[in-house]
Amino acid sequence: MATAAQENLPPPLDSKAELPPLFDGTPRLYISYSCPFAQRVWITRNYKGLQDKIKLVPLNLQDRPAWYKEKVYPVNKIPALEHNGKVIGESLDLIKYVDNFEGPSLLPDDPEKRKFADELFSHSDTFTNDVYTSFKGDPTKQAGPAFDYLEKALDKFDDGPFFLGQFSQVDIAYIPFVERFQIFLSEEFKYDITAGRPKLAAWIEELNKLDAYKSTKADPKELVEFYRSRFVAKQ
């Protein structure tokens, strides 16, 4: 792993910003600093040591530039990666795509681990949907099974604290959401997702030691305010 040096992050582009050069040979990763889907690819880029290879282009999603949909990515979602004359999206696909750049692979060769990785990728939407749904009821009762699933998954391999033993694409897929859920459930509902889940607690602790991840973390105060406005205020 290349050590992630402290990066000077560019300011988000709004509707008044000019379109960056397109297809000039520089790979560009379009993100929002607050988006968990974009964070997945941002972490991958950082861990691979690609800060000088893939340029970050952050967008202001509340005032996004019209040129993004018109000229960059008609789907108008983030993240999106401009590379080799095309623009591609979907965060799980982009984790795998960026992992094909130079640097050590974030997926082990072990067939059993690769099979389990596929299972966990397939489950990721179910996990996030179950937790988001719990916000509208009583998360202290409803969110538990989702985190129990992660605790059990973290117990499958014993050669490290991560889902596949060593840090991999799978950890990257889950941590942006677990990060947000842990903060919001603790602040709003006094629910500790790590209570009675030592594997999950150790997993979060180990991830928080990685510079590639730490530099991408959301602002807790802004996160809580956003989730309150989205999930609590509407009840």
Side-chain angles (χ1 to χ4, degrees), residues 110-209:
D110 185 325
E112 186 181 1
K113 289 187 175 184
R114 283 182 173 250
K115 180 181 178 182
F116 193 50
D118 288 339
E119 290 178 24
L120 290 170
F121 283 134
S122 296
H123 183 75
S124 61
D125 283 346
T126 299
F127 167 73
T128 55
N129 290 338
D130 285 352
V131 180
Y132 280 133
T133 300
S134 79
F135 292 167
K136 300 171 184 176
D138 183 355
T140 61
K141 297 177 180 177
Q142 294 172 255
F147 295 107
D148 289 342
Y149 178 95
L150 299 189
E151 180 72 11
K152 182 179 179 181
L154 285 162
D155 196 38
K156 185 171 179 66
F157 297 108
D158 59 5
D159 56 339
F162 302 106
F163 283 113
L164 305 183
Q166 304 306 306
F167 183 68
S168 74
Q169 295 178 12
V170 180
D171 305 293
I172 292 172
Y174 278 86
I175 188 55
F177 294 92
V178 174
E179 171 193 327
R180 286 158 174 77
F181 296 157
Q182 182 180 31
I183 292 168
F184 185 62
L185 287 168
S186 175
E187 181 69 24
E188 188 67 24
F189 300 98
K190 310 306 176 191
Y191 179 61
D192 179 5
I193 66 171
T194 64
R197 300 183 183 100
K199 297 281 187 182
L200 183 61
W203 179 74
I204 294 170
E205 182 179 353
E206 289 300 315
L207 282 165
N208 278 317
K209 296 176 183 177

